[in-house]
Amino acid sequence: MTTRILGLVSLDQKRLAADLAALAKTNFSTAYSDFACGRWESCMLRNRSGIQEEDTVVIHHNPAVATPLGRSLPYLNELLDTHFDTSSMRYARIIRISENACIIPHRDYLELDAKFARVHLVLDTNQRCMNTEKDRIFHMGLGEIWFLDASLPHSAASFSPIPRVHLMADFEGTCAPENVVRNTEQPLTRTLMADAREEWTDEALQCVLGLAKIVSEANYREIVSILAKLHFFYKVDCEAMYGWLREICRRRGDAALIEKTDKLERFFLIDRVPGEFMGY
Ligand code: YCP
Ligand code: CO
């Protein structure tokens, strides 16, 4: 199961603009805020119960039910019904990434008993929005539907003043991604974004490790955010930040920070207890 583009949707820009304007005024949920480095947010359009406040995911086996927010967005509702198999859909969410924010490199489904088949439809984006998977970087274009193998280490960021907005839908994990998508155009042969990142150098590494001089409980979270964004600018694996952070804390000689870092890496890449809040 590898990350790939599944198809292209021609978006009705006028109707889309109306729903995006409504979303801009909506309160997003704080669920998964421990994953956010800057303003990364989500909200539910369809979930297990149809209750807006049910904002985290569990494995379940019934068609996703529209929330009040989901029902209030006619075009997005229509896109979900037209382009996806709603019988195997378990959740539909909006993911919004605001300027200079990213989601910390992580693997999904670690807290669940099974995986979903996770698909994104790009609603608002620009060239300063990027996704990463392990050591690769790519851009998901407007109207494109992608299957993301979220069980691999990955991240996403926007460095634009215009928020990046994706519709993200989770399907029964046994479904082949190609089978949950409907009525799409075959994507035009598209060239993947060239990897324009700078080479990761020993000089850059030494600079990062120099944070050992100043790291403390008080700035730990900010340092995590700085490290999380570096791989969008340098050719380095998105997981590398955890090794840097461990070495920064080791050089500082702070046992509590080393332990925090071990827990952090465990939570985001290895194992998560259901409902456990990292709270760092
Ligand atoms: C999930 N995990 O698996 C979320 C999505 C990041 C954290 C966003 O539903
Ligand atoms: Co993810």
Side-chain angles (χ1 to χ4, degrees), residues 35 40 103-104 106-108 118 120 150 152 154-155 168:
F35 287 69
W40 175 99
I103 187 161
I104 191 169
H106 67 282
R107 295 170 59 215
D108 286 314
R118 180 160 292 172
H120 283 233
L152 297 173
H154 64 282
S155 178
M168 178 171 97

Side-chain angles (χ1 to χ4, degrees), residues 12 20 26-27 46 73 96 113 119 127 166 173 262 271:
D12 179 332
L20 289 177
T26 299
N27 285 322
R46 297 186 187 188
L73 301 163
R96 177 171 70 192
D113 302 327
V119 166
Q127 291 303 320
H166 283 192
D262 288 341
D271 188 25

Side-chain angles (χ1 to χ4, degrees), residues 135-252:
D135 62 352
R136 292 201 316 132
I137 190 161
F138 56 100
H139 171 73
M140 297 157 76
L142 189 67
E144 290 174 355
I145 297 180
W146 285 69
F147 165 70
L148 288 196
D149 186 350
S151 61
L152 297 173
H154 64 282
S155 178
S158 174
F159 300 103
S160 161
I162 305 154
R164 189 211 79 163
V165 181
H166 283 192
L167 183 59
M168 178 171 97
D170 285 322
F171 297 86
E172 189 69 40
T174 51
C175 294
E178 277 72 12
N179 294 340
V180 304
V181 169
R182 305 259 178 280
N183 304 313
T184 61
E185 299 162 27
Q186 273 309 108
L188 312 168
T189 349
R190 68 194 281 295
T191 29
L192 284 181
M193 179 181 86
D195 188 341
R197 295 178 294 176
E198 282 182 50
E199 294 298 330
W200 183 241
T201 59
D202 187 58
E203 196 186 358
L205 175 63
Q206 293 314 320
C207 173
V208 162
L209 298 182
L211 290 166
K213 272 265 177 283
I214 57 152
V215 68
S216 72
E217 281 283 349
N219 61 28
Y220 185 84
R221 186 63 164 98
E222 283 84 0
I223 288 181
V224 167
S225 285
I226 291 170
L227 301 190
K229 288 174 202 166
L230 280 175
H231 78 285
F232 289 99
F233 300 96
Y234 295 92
K235 285 180 186 151
V236 65
D237 198 298
C238 71
E239 288 173 83
M241 62 163 288
Y242 295 99
W244 302 334
L245 194 59
R246 181 172 300 100
E247 183 60 13
I248 289 167
C249 297
R250 194 194 63 78
R251 290 190 184 186
R252 179 75 186 182

Side-chain angles (χ1 to χ4, degrees), residues 19-79:
D19 281 8
L20 289 177
L23 272 177
K25 293 187 212 134
T26 299
N27 285 322
F28 278 56
S29 148
T30 55
Y32 304 109
S33 59
D34 38 349
F35 287 69
C37 296
R39 197 167 171 203
W40 175 99
E41 304 155 291
S42 66
C43 60
M44 284 286 179
L45 301 186
R46 297 186 187 188
N47 60 18
R48 183 172 58 157
S49 61
I51 297 168
Q52 195 67 52
E53 292 70 29
E54 188 209 314
D55 56 5
T56 56
V57 304
V58 293
I59 297 297
H60 72 97
H61 303 287
N62 293 113
V65 180
T67 62
L69 177 64
R71 286 197 298 270
S72 77
L73 301 163
Y75 186 55
L76 300 191
N77 232 329
E78 192 180 297
L79 286 174

